Amino acid sequence: MNKSRLIALCLLFGSCVCLLQASDEIIKKGRALQNAKKYDEAQELYLKALKPDASEDLYIEAGSFLGKVQRYDVAESVLEKGLAAYPASTSLMNLHGLIKHRKGDNEAAKKIFEAVLVKDAENSFAKKWLETVKSGKAVTGSETQSGDDSDSTSSYSPSPSGVYQASTSMGKDEQLKLAIELYKEMMELEKWELDRFVELHKQVIERCPQTDQAEESCWRLSNLYMLGEDPPDYDNVIAVLEHLLKQYPATELLPDAKNRLLIAYQKTGRMNEVVTLYEELFKLDPAPQDNQVFMARALEFGNALTAVGRGAEAALWYQKVIELDNNRNSLEARAANARLNGQ
C-alpha cells in the first residue's frame, strides 16, 4: 500500500471515529433533555445535528424519540432523510414503517415492512408488524413499540416503578417456559426499543423469580438504567440491584452488583448505605494485596464515615492511607492529609 493511500485511509477512519463520538454526545444530551421532559429542546438539538454526515444511530435515536412523543410528521421527515443517507438500514426502515402505521397509513407501512423482508427474510420485527398492519389494528403512541400484547403478558400488571414483587403463582416449569418466551421476544426487538426491554425484563423478574433468567434480568435492567439513560437513573439501579441481592443472596453477580450499588449510592448521596457496603467489603477483604486499591477504598470509606458524622473513625482510615503511602505523596495520601487537616 503506498503512503498516500495509507494516509487517506487513516484520515477516513479517523473522521468516522470522530463522527461516532460526536453522535454519541448528541444522543447523551438528547436523552438528558428527554428525561427532563424538555421535548422541544431535544427536538431542536437533534434537528440541528442531523447534517448530511450524521450517523445512522443518530437518525435512529431522533426518529425513535419523535415517535415516542407522537411528533409523527417530524419523525417521518427525519427518517426519510436518514434512509436517503443509509438506504440499506433495516432499522431505519422498520422505524419508518412503525411511524407510518401510527399515522394510520397502513398501506404505506405494509410496503415498508415487505421491503424490509426482501432485504432480510428473517427480520422478526418486520414480520410481527406486517401481521399487525394486515390486521388493521390501530396503534397509539402510548402503546409499546413492540406491538400486540401476547397471551404471556395480557394478564400481567407490573408493580410501580422502582418496586419489584416476585410472584410464585406459576410453577417453576411454567416460569421457565415464560422466561424463555420473554427472552425470545427481547432477541427480536430493535435496539431502539428501550422501553420495551425494560418492560420485559421487569416481567421476567416479577413473574419468573425461580429462573436463572430472573437474576440475569436484574443485572441487564441495571445496565439499561446505567447506560440507556443520561444521566444514569441511579434510583432505579438501586431498586433493581437491592431486589437482586435480597432475592438471590448467593448470586454469582454479587460482587459486580455491590460495586455498582456503591457507585449508585455515592452518586445519590446515600452515605449510610455506602458505609455499610464498605464495612462489609473490609470485613471480607481486610487487606487487599494491591496497595493502590486499598488506599482508594480506605479514602472513600473515610469520606463516607465523615459524611455520616463518624469523624473519629474516618481519621483512622485516613491515617492508614498515609501510612501505606510511605511518603510517596500519592493523590490518595494528599487527599487523606487534607481531610485530617480539615481542608
Side-chain angles (χ1 to χ4, degrees), residues 81-105:
K81 290 179 182 177
L83 284 165
Y86 301 96
S89 172
T90 54
S91 291
L92 284 169
M93 291 174 72
N94 276 332
L95 190 49
H96 191 205
L98 184 59
I99 295 299
K100 285 287 191 183
H101 181 40
R102 287 183 171 170
K103 290 181 68 176
D105 191 350

Short mmCIF file of all heavy atoms in Angstrom, two decimals, residues 81-105:
data_model
loop_
_atom_site.label_atom_id
_atom_site.label_comp_id
_atom_site.label_asym_id
_atom_site.label_seq_id
_atom_site.Cartn_x
_atom_site.Cartn_y
_atom_site.Cartn_z
N LYS A 81 -34.88 11.37 5.53
CA LYS A 81 -33.51 11.87 5.32
C LYS A 81 -32.50 10.79 5.71
O LYS A 81 -31.48 10.60 5.05
CB LYS A 81 -33.27 13.13 6.15
CG LYS A 81 -34.04 14.34 5.65
CD LYS A 81 -33.77 15.56 6.54
CE LYS A 81 -34.57 16.76 6.06
NZ LYS A 81 -34.38 17.94 6.95
N GLY A 82 -32.80 10.10 6.83
CA GLY A 82 -31.91 9.03 7.26
C GLY A 82 -31.80 7.91 6.24
O GLY A 82 -30.72 7.39 5.97
N LEU A 83 -32.92 7.56 5.63
CA LEU A 83 -32.93 6.48 4.63
C LEU A 83 -32.26 6.93 3.33
O LEU A 83 -31.72 6.10 2.59
CB LEU A 83 -34.35 6.02 4.37
CG LEU A 83 -34.93 5.14 5.49
CD1 LEU A 83 -36.43 5.00 5.37
CD2 LEU A 83 -34.25 3.76 5.46
N ALA A 84 -32.29 8.22 3.05
CA ALA A 84 -31.57 8.72 1.89
C ALA A 84 -30.06 8.55 2.09
O ALA A 84 -29.31 8.27 1.15
CB ALA A 84 -31.91 10.18 1.64
N ALA A 85 -29.64 8.72 3.35
CA ALA A 85 -28.21 8.58 3.67
C ALA A 85 -27.82 7.13 3.88
O ALA A 85 -26.70 6.73 3.56
CB ALA A 85 -27.88 9.40 4.92
N TYR A 86 -28.76 6.32 4.43
CA TYR A 86 -28.46 4.92 4.75
C TYR A 86 -29.58 4.03 4.20
O TYR A 86 -30.37 3.46 4.95
CB TYR A 86 -28.33 4.73 6.26
CG TYR A 86 -27.25 5.57 6.88
CD1 TYR A 86 -27.55 6.81 7.48
CD2 TYR A 86 -25.92 5.16 6.86
CE1 TYR A 86 -26.56 7.60 8.03
CE2 TYR A 86 -24.91 5.94 7.41
CZ TYR A 86 -25.24 7.16 7.99
OH TYR A 86 -24.26 7.94 8.54
N PRO A 87 -29.66 3.89 2.88
CA PRO A 87 -30.78 3.17 2.27
C PRO A 87 -30.84 1.69 2.62
O PRO A 87 -31.89 1.07 2.46
CB PRO A 87 -30.54 3.37 0.77
CG PRO A 87 -29.08 3.68 0.64
CD PRO A 87 -28.72 4.44 1.88
N ALA A 88 -29.74 1.11 3.08
CA ALA A 88 -29.73 -0.32 3.42
C ALA A 88 -30.11 -0.59 4.87
O ALA A 88 -30.16 -1.75 5.30
CB ALA A 88 -28.34 -0.91 3.13
N SER A 89 -30.39 0.46 5.64
CA SER A 89 -30.66 0.29 7.07
C SER A 89 -32.06 -0.27 7.32
O SER A 89 -33.07 0.43 7.16
CB SER A 89 -30.52 1.63 7.80
OG SER A 89 -30.95 1.52 9.14
N THR A 90 -32.13 -1.53 7.73
CA THR A 90 -33.43 -2.11 8.05
C THR A 90 -33.99 -1.53 9.35
O THR A 90 -35.21 -1.50 9.54
CB THR A 90 -33.34 -3.64 8.16
OG1 THR A 90 -32.31 -4.00 9.11
CG2 THR A 90 -33.04 -4.27 6.82
N SER A 91 -33.10 -1.07 10.24
CA SER A 91 -33.58 -0.44 11.48
C SER A 91 -34.35 0.84 11.17
O SER A 91 -35.43 1.10 11.72
CB SER A 91 -32.42 -0.14 12.42
OG SER A 91 -31.86 -1.33 12.93
N LEU A 92 -33.80 1.67 10.29
CA LEU A 92 -34.49 2.90 9.89
C LEU A 92 -35.77 2.57 9.14
O LEU A 92 -36.80 3.23 9.32
CB LEU A 92 -33.57 3.77 9.03
CG LEU A 92 -32.47 4.54 9.76
CD1 LEU A 92 -31.48 5.13 8.76
CD2 LEU A 92 -33.06 5.62 10.65
N MET A 93 -35.73 1.55 8.30
CA MET A 93 -36.93 1.16 7.56
C MET A 93 -38.03 0.68 8.52
O MET A 93 -39.20 1.07 8.37
CB MET A 93 -36.59 0.05 6.56
CG MET A 93 -35.71 0.52 5.41
SD MET A 93 -35.19 -0.86 4.34
CE MET A 93 -36.75 -1.24 3.51
N ASN A 94 -37.66 -0.14 9.49
CA ASN A 94 -38.65 -0.62 10.46
C ASN A 94 -39.28 0.54 11.23
O ASN A 94 -40.49 0.58 11.46
CB ASN A 94 -38.00 -1.61 11.43
CG ASN A 94 -37.96 -3.01 10.88
OD1 ASN A 94 -38.79 -3.40 10.07
ND2 ASN A 94 -36.99 -3.79 11.33
N LEU A 95 -38.43 1.47 11.64
CA LEU A 95 -38.94 2.62 12.38
C LEU A 95 -39.84 3.48 11.50
O LEU A 95 -40.89 3.97 11.94
CB LEU A 95 -37.77 3.44 12.91
CG LEU A 95 -38.05 4.56 13.91
CD1 LEU A 95 -38.93 4.08 15.06
CD2 LEU A 95 -36.74 5.12 14.45
N HIS A 96 -39.47 3.62 10.25
CA HIS A 96 -40.29 4.37 9.30
C HIS A 96 -41.65 3.69 9.12
O HIS A 96 -42.70 4.34 9.11
CB HIS A 96 -39.56 4.47 7.96
CG HIS A 96 -40.17 5.43 7.00
ND1 HIS A 96 -40.02 5.33 5.64
CD2 HIS A 96 -40.97 6.51 7.21
CE1 HIS A 96 -40.67 6.32 5.05
NE2 HIS A 96 -41.26 7.05 5.98
N GLY A 97 -41.65 2.37 8.99
CA GLY A 97 -42.90 1.64 8.86
C GLY A 97 -43.79 1.79 10.08
O GLY A 97 -45.02 1.93 9.98
N LEU A 98 -43.17 1.77 11.27
CA LEU A 98 -43.92 1.94 12.51
C LEU A 98 -44.57 3.32 12.58
O LEU A 98 -45.73 3.47 12.98
CB LEU A 98 -42.98 1.73 13.70
CG LEU A 98 -43.61 1.76 15.08
CD1 LEU A 98 -44.69 0.70 15.23
CD2 LEU A 98 -42.54 1.57 16.16
N ILE A 99 -43.82 4.35 12.16
CA ILE A 99 -44.37 5.71 12.17
C ILE A 99 -45.53 5.81 11.17
O ILE A 99 -46.59 6.41 11.48
CB ILE A 99 -43.27 6.74 11.82
CG1 ILE A 99 -42.19 6.77 12.91
CG2 ILE A 99 -43.89 8.14 11.64
CD1 ILE A 99 -42.69 7.17 14.29
N LYS A 100 -45.38 5.22 10.01
CA LYS A 100 -46.48 5.22 9.03
C LYS A 100 -47.72 4.56 9.63
O LYS A 100 -48.85 5.05 9.47
CB LYS A 100 -46.04 4.47 7.77
CG LYS A 100 -45.08 5.21 6.88
CD LYS A 100 -45.76 6.35 6.12
CE LYS A 100 -44.87 6.91 5.03
NZ LYS A 100 -45.51 8.08 4.35
N HIS A 101 -47.51 3.46 10.31
CA HIS A 101 -48.63 2.73 10.93
C HIS A 101 -49.31 3.59 11.98
O HIS A 101 -50.54 3.65 12.06
CB HIS A 101 -48.09 1.44 11.54
CG HIS A 101 -49.14 0.59 12.19
ND1 HIS A 101 -50.40 0.40 11.67
CD2 HIS A 101 -49.10 -0.13 13.34
CE1 HIS A 101 -51.10 -0.41 12.45
NE2 HIS A 101 -50.32 -0.73 13.48
N ARG A 102 -48.53 4.26 12.79
CA ARG A 102 -49.11 5.09 13.84
C ARG A 102 -49.84 6.30 13.27
O ARG A 102 -50.74 6.85 13.91
CB ARG A 102 -48.02 5.51 14.83
CG ARG A 102 -47.58 4.36 15.71
CD ARG A 102 -46.56 4.78 16.73
NE ARG A 102 -46.33 3.70 17.68
CZ ARG A 102 -45.36 3.68 18.58
NH1 ARG A 102 -44.50 4.69 18.62
NH2 ARG A 102 -45.23 2.68 19.41
N LYS A 103 -49.48 6.72 12.09
CA LYS A 103 -50.19 7.82 11.43
C LYS A 103 -51.46 7.32 10.74
O LYS A 103 -52.23 8.10 10.22
CB LYS A 103 -49.28 8.49 10.40
CG LYS A 103 -48.14 9.30 11.01
CD LYS A 103 -47.30 9.97 9.93
CE LYS A 103 -48.08 11.06 9.23
NZ LYS A 103 -47.26 11.79 8.24
N GLY A 104 -51.63 5.99 10.76
CA GLY A 104 -52.84 5.43 10.15
C GLY A 104 -52.68 5.04 8.69
O GLY A 104 -53.66 4.64 8.05
N ASP A 105 -51.46 5.15 8.17
CA ASP A 105 -51.21 4.81 6.77
C ASP A 105 -50.73 3.37 6.69
O ASP A 105 -49.54 3.09 6.46
CB ASP A 105 -50.18 5.77 6.17
CG ASP A 105 -50.07 5.65 4.65
OD1 ASP A 105 -50.65 4.70 4.10
OD2 ASP A 105 -49.40 6.50 4.04
#
